[in-house]
Amino acid sequence: MTATTIMPEARSASATLRRNFWRGVWRVMKRKPSRMAGVVIMAGFAFMGVFGPMFYPEHLPRDTSALYAPPSWAHPFGTDFEGTDVLALVITGSRYVLLTGLVTAVITVVLGAGIGLFAGFRRGRWDSVLMRITDMKLTIPGLPLMLVLSTIWKFTSAIEMGLVLGLLGWGGVARAVRSQTLSLRERGFVEAARGLGLSTPHIIGRELLPSMAPYIAMNMLIAVTGAVYAQVGLFFLGVLPFEANNWGVMLNLAVFGGGALTTTAALPYLLAPLLAILLLTLGIVLVVDAMDEIFNPRLREE
Amino acid sequence: MITGKGITKTFRQRGGMLGAREVPALRGVDFSIEKGGAVSFIGESGCGKTTLGRILAGLESYDSGEIVIDGVPMSSLRPKQRQPHFRRVQLIHQDPYSALNPARTIHQTLDAPLTLRAKQTGRSRSWIDERAEELLGLVGLDPGYVLPRYPHQLSGGMRQRVVIARALTVDPDMLVADEATSMIDVSLRLGILGLLKDLRDRLGVSVLFITHDVATARYIGLDGELYVIYRGQVVERGPVETVISDPVHPYTQSLLSAIPVLHGLEVPGAERVVPTEAIDAAQPDAGCLFAARCPFRTERCTSELPVLGHDGGTLQEHACFHPQRRSVVATPAVAS
Amino acid sequence: MSVTSDKRAPGVRISDLSVVYRTGAGELPAVRGVDLELEPGTITGVVGESGSGKSTLALSMLNAVQPPGRIRSGSVEIDGLGDVVTLGGDDLRKTRGRHVGYVFQAAQNSLNPLKTVGKQLLDLGRSHDVDDLPGLVKEARSLLDRMGLDGARVLDSYQHELSGGMRQRVGIMLALVLNAHVVVLDEPTTALDMITQATILRIIREVHEERGLTTLVITHDLGVVAEIADRLAVMYGGRLVEQGPTREVLGAPKHPYTQGLLQAIPRLVGDIDEARALPGRPPTLGTIPPDGCVFRERCAVRMDVCETGEPPVLTIGPRVVACHTAAGDGEQKETVTTGPTRGEEQA
Ligand SMILES: Nc1ncnc2c1ncn2[C@@H]1O[C@H](COP(=O)(O)OP(=O)(O)OP(=O)(O)O)[C@@H](O)[C@H]1O
Ligand SMILES: Nc1ncnc2c1ncn2[C@@H]1O[C@H](COP(=O)(O)OP(=O)(O)OP(=O)(O)O)[C@@H](O)[C@H]1O
Ligand code: SF4
Ligand code: SF4
Ligand SMILES: [Mg+2]
Ligand SMILES: [Mg+2]
């Protein structure tokens, strides 16, 4: 009975804490205009990825009278080799790219942080085994493997692509998280938690993880850019099947088909996806700058 | 009551080319602490004070010896079964900055162990919050102010009080305070010392106080015992005031001689024992561990190991073949 | 503890020194209106709690306060050198080492771990255009030998091969080897053992006398100052609240903070029931009150005037006190503010 009367109070305490956290995040973001710009850019991409494709028909209209048209009001970035609007291609192509990035980042971070935390906290045999696996994984060259894989697997869905990139990418995070865990576990508060008899999930989840949150969040954001580069690269190299509205394929066609490096006609076609990638990277870099302050209460509250 | 007999611990350091190097941290230490009692370990850096404290808190293993907690010998239990016993000994870390999780509020910090405690004893949620406030009050903090705050928003002294309150959440029998005041501002040190003494009186918690600052040992309680440790061995042991005012072991005398005198307020002692600097080569293989630095060494000291005892009819125990009282401690200045 | 009046020892006069740090809340003073004279050939000890501005004061002696800090006003006159605050560029760089030797806080950890001590010594010599490098090494070796070390061996050692006490001595050697006659030591014994501390303090005192130095020792440990300093200056919240000959200040402190501090430090002798912690906590840069007495929050004898009125800095013989309670004292030698317990404790 007492429990029921007290529960709301406890919930309200943690709700207050959460409210304070978001208020702190807001304060941190406001400190530098560049951070706000980063957030706006990222929100823009998110919107583009989620809703963008809905504004266009399944098959983008072609204007065969205007191949490689220069930028105009109707086609801000011109058209491609078959007269499709480049902007429409970038927007409809964004979903695949961004979803891949997201899936990769989640897998990289969940696997990397999970394995790193566990190995670092347990030490001993678990640590040796997991780190041996990590090292083996790190020695596998990613690109050649992807080349091999792509001959048997077409990666039609972004989730598959992200899954593979994520499985290839968690090694570095695991190593770094492990070494941080090793040093954190000697810190007084972790030792105190053990001395008080608190459970291992509590220590890992509540004591160690928050201290590594900025680092993990940063890695997550950086993994997004990594994944975008990787898959755009793969498509650019033509390793993966042709699909018109993919940023990498666009680059490929612009360079190899349209000769964007030698003539100016296909230049906008080349620049549009490049610009999108650069803008996304910029947005992420600007936001990463705030991570330390967001997750460190001292810097957040000041 | 907690007793230890012949505790030894040797660390194996993986050295460079020479392979493993053995660092003996404790060489057969005996001790006993009454319920509500106070024991202070003093000695220079690396003598093994922290290692012993950590062993008692169950945070470090030991090579041989026996620890008996409230009549239960730890050797009779399997490692898993020992944990609840060792939990009755709580370590207060030297550094209150690193002892609290910077990402968690004080409320969260106290909540976790109290929740565990409530589960064990079948108490309700409301007890947890009441207990948190009660404990903070006990260590002299205002719960309303402290609970919602992060560690960095508190002063060093307040943080150390929070650490003590957290240790009290599990109703320990003993607190091991490892240099608990050395990182706290000078003007606030006495507050923490007074608190530890107070907890002894009010809760019957015993305190194991580890320090290199001999003077602080007095403030935990004059009824306490002082252990002087040198290179992992107890070389002198007795009531605080006796060991401080009438030390007989040359190492204790060196330690006390080294304490700065507040000229103007105190008059330096008549004698001063200055050990020679440690030179590894001068240390005999057998014999007294302090022989290499001892100004009073004789032939016998280099061949035979002195053991702790009352030789020479001293009030305190000591491990020296030539115990002698020397007035090395300053005395209060008479009003000028 | 006689004052050696060596002709080589220069005097140092710090006048009305203020140093500010730029923070989110604007420029805040870490050192404010400090007047301190280091008489030639003496050891002056500055004691204060963490954040009281000791290191900042010491750095100002070299005009070495780093951004976001800057010296806002005041001067540091060193005999034969002039006002250090106005020096800049190469002149300033030369001054450091040649005229003013500095042993940094945590000198134990400030050696380059990748180079032997000897190599670092040569780097130092080259950066100061020393022509006679063998002579420099010889001088370094004799200094180290003087401090009870095997000079040749230490010069060949890396940082990790030396103990804390040995590193501290290396720090002192590096500060003196270019023949500086003003030496600043910031927390020279923090993190050292009692016995090692005693050794280092003895060495500082001996080297000070032999070489005819003017020495400033910065510490949070009153005992260290009591042991070696001729004069003692007490710092609180960026202010010098009291200064005077060590024995006099410790024997009969005039400022309520000094009195409280002496009561609050654990001591080996005396009645432990007389001991009291100071209430409250030391201020930080952001909480130092902008006007009135910096100590008033914790002062047992504060008056209304302390809230707003800057405490007057009174010179009473060789002593200086900044407190309203001493104001009626004028130039008298007698103490008005008897500490609440000192007298009783000695009875
Ligand atoms: N984890 C470890 N691995 C190897 N050696 C260790 C370890 N912990 C301690 N030692 C060594 O054991 C000895 C005793 O260390 P301990 O920390 O107990 O000393 P201490 O008396 O607490 O010293 P201090 O006053 O510096 O804290 C030292 O020589 C130390 O180097
Ligand atoms: N780089 C800096 N930026 C902002 N504030 C600073 C900086 N350096 C020092 N301070 C502030 O100036 C004040 C004085 O600092 P200082 O280092 O001189 O103190 P201290 O007396 O030497 O303390 P400690 O005993 O901890 O060394 C402190 O409040 C400190 O927070
Ligand atoms: S036994 Fe000998 S060497 Fe050891 S402390 Fe006593 S006199 Fe010194
Ligand atoms: S000026 Fe006032 S508040 Fe400050 S120390 Fe003196 S009496 Fe206390
Ligand atoms: Mg220790
Ligand atoms: Mg400092």
Side-chain angles (χ1 to χ4, degrees), chain C residues 241 254-257 292-307 309-312 321-326 337:
Chain C
V241 294
K254 287 181 195 287
H255 194 280
Y257 173 61
C293 174
V294 281
F295 182 60
R296 62 169 186 266
E297 309 255 287
R298 306 172 76 187
C299 181
V301 294
R302 78 167 156 256
M303 304 171 291
D304 287 343
V305 61
C306 307
E307 296 291 329
E310 206 63 46
V321 187
C323 172
H324 285 295
T325 53
T337 53

Side-chain angles (χ1 to χ4, degrees), chain A residues 14 27 33 41 72 78 80 98 106 179 216 238-239 247 278 281 296:
Chain A
S14 67
R27 210 167 330 137
I41 292 173
S72 63
D80 74 350
L98 295 176
V106 168
S179 67
I216 289 173
V239 174
W247 296 0
L278 275 179
T281 311
N296 181 333

Side-chain angles (χ1 to χ4, degrees), chain C residues 89-100 127-129:
Chain C
D90 237 23
D91 288 344
L92 187 60
R93 194 174 60 77
K94 292 267 162 60
T95 302
R96 300 177 186 158
R98 283 216 182 262
H99 294 274
V100 185
S127 72
H128 279 90
D129 307 320

Side-chain angles (χ1 to χ4, degrees), chain B residues 101-169:
Chain B
N101 192 336
R104 290 167 69 73
T105 62
I106 306 307
H107 180 262
Q108 291 174 310
T109 292
L110 292 178
D111 195 65
L114 281 174
T115 305
L116 189 74
R117 191 82 188 148
K119 227 178 269 166
Q120 284 164 353
T121 53
R123 274 187 260 238
S124 68
R125 179 74 231 173
S126 61
W127 174 82
I128 295 176
D129 290 334
E130 275 165 29
R131 183 76 180 144
E133 294 187 6
E134 186 185 335
L135 287 173
L136 287 174
L138 200 64
V139 298
L141 292 174
D142 170 12
Y145 178 82
V146 171
L147 278 172
R149 272 167 226 273
Y150 287 98
H152 76 266
Q153 294 166 317
L154 306 177
S155 74
M158 290 163 97
R159 262 180 280 213
Q160 196 61 292
R161 283 170 198 268
V162 171
V163 172
I164 294 173
R166 180 182 60 191
L168 293 176
T169 54

Side-chain angles (χ1 to χ4, degrees), chain C residues 13 62 66 128 130 137 151 178 197 213 225 233 261 288 296:
Chain C
R13 283 163 307 282
L62 280 167
Q66 297 299 318
H128 279 90
V130 175
V137 172
L178 291 171
Q197 162 168 303
L213 307 174
V225 164
L261 196 61
I288 295 176
R296 62 169 186 266

